[in-house]
Amino acid sequence: MKIFLTDDHAILLGGLIKILSVEDDFEVVGSAGTVKDSFDSLTQKHVDLLITDYNLPDDDGLTLV
């Protein structure tokens, strides 16, 4: 499963990447800290799952979804 993560807290984002990366069935294909950066990356990638924070600096996670 290809996963993309969006969160503006670097410690949380790094922890999620570490946790998910050790699972054989998961591949973290990207991450970002804003809705704009996430959207720009997601238009270039195919992902199966987006995990996003709701409160982001430039908009909310629902807008991204």
Side-chain angles (χ1 to χ4, degrees):
M1 179 178 291
K2 294 180 179 180
I3 302 171
F4 190 92
L5 304 168
T6 304
D7 199 300
D8 58 327
H9 298 96
I11 292 173
L12 180 63
L13 193 57
L16 285 172
I17 290 170
K18 268 191 157 180
I19 290 168
L20 294 171
S21 294
V22 298
E23 295 295 325
D24 293 334
D25 295 339
F26 299 147
E27 177 187 359
V28 178
V29 295
S31 64
T34 65
V35 170
K36 182 188 179 318
D37 291 343
S38 295
F39 186 77
D40 291 346
S41 293
L42 288 168
T43 57
Q44 301 171 13
K45 300 176 188 217
H46 170 76
V47 299
D48 300 306
L49 177 65
L50 167 66
I51 299 175
T52 183
D53 186 4
Y54 181 79
N55 294 314
L56 294 164
D58 60 338
D59 212 330
D60 59 57
L62 188 57
T63 300
L64 179 59
V65 173

